[in-house]
Amino acid sequence: MHFGYSERCLEHDTGERHPENPDRLRAIRRGLAKRHGVEYAEPDPATREEVVAVHDATYVDELEAFVADGGGSWDPDTVVSEGTWDAALTSAGLAQWAARSALAGADGRNTPFALGRPPGHHAVPDDAMGFCFFNNAAVAAQTALDKGEADRVAIFDWDVHHGNGTQDVFYERGDVLYASIHEDGLYPDTGEVEETGRDEGENTTVNLPLAAGAGNADYCHAIDAVVAPALERFDPDLVIVSAGFDAHRHDPISRMRVSSEGYALMTDQIRSVTDDVGAATAYVLEGGYGLDTLAEGVSMVHETFDGRTPVSDDEDPDEKTKTLVGELQDLLDL
């Protein structure tokens, strides 16, 4: 893969004990140093105007002023430092680079993956939350649409937490599909099955809140039975994967059971469906708070695009997953 990265993202200082800290990127870089064919790009940050395309200008002004005053705790979970403004713009710019590169033809071993922080999928139009300030995937999608590089964009979010911010941005829009597999009842306690979009966005939101303990078979079944047909029906020009790695069985803040191999299996599934529909594919880093498992997850995505064949464990999905999938298939008429 071709990775986007910038040292500016390390300047967002959340403190030594915060789970979303600069060591996340350092761990990923160390893990990738052991792999074949890793290349890096350092694109420009997003502009304020590009961020305001998905966020309220008043909120963006408030955040900039808060940073200029030295930062502090925006909320109990979301920490601001003097480097947060530049890091947040840089992280959004990395996501834009990934989308732009994919739409320009980067695929296969050159598939782009934006390694930015802070993450973005909890950032709602008018507020920061859940470690997130600017919604990186949403900014990238909107920029591609505004520049005429794509007419339809899909965002598939496999982070263990529901991307409430991404859903909110596009909930009433027909030109962006948002699909999420997440742990039921986990922060921010959004993303119910019944949330499927409104007005022009009817049936362009797809939520699969899996029960705690779901593993590889559950995720793969959800992709095969719901996410893939939803993508095929939507027929996007670009698919952005909001790639969090906190559903890993050894991540410290979730109860899911996805293995490192599971991320390779999901990558292979998404690659297959995007190939079928002829969509460009870009990856954007979201969560993942066990340093070793985060690094391993990113490396497994890279190795899958580098030619390694994932190994299935041949387990069956849980009955609760099958029931949920059937309910959503009926709801969305898939």
Side-chain angles (χ1 to χ4, degrees), residues 249-268:
R249 60 184 59 179
H250 297 307
D251 190 274
I253 65 171
S254 82
R255 299 170 293 173
M256 296 309 229
R257 302 291 299 166
V258 177
S259 69
S260 297
E261 195 69 34
Y263 287 106
L265 291 166
M266 290 192 287
T267 299
D268 194 46

Side-chain angles (χ1 to χ4, degrees), residues 83-155:
T84 297
W85 177 258
D86 288 342
L89 288 176
T90 297
S91 193
L94 287 163
Q96 289 175 308
W97 162 83
R100 183 171 62 249
S101 297
L103 287 164
D107 59 8
R109 283 184 166 90
N110 293 316
T111 298
F113 195 143
L115 299 177
R117 62 172 292 274
H121 71 155
H122 293 309
V124 295
D126 62 353
D127 204 1
M129 60 181 290
F131 314 161
C132 304
F133 298 94
F134 299 145
N135 196 308
N136 304 318
V139 171
Q142 189 62 52
T143 300
L145 293 166
D146 288 343
K147 292 184 177 297
E149 297 166 340
D151 293 322
R152 298 163 74 82
V153 178
I155 300 172

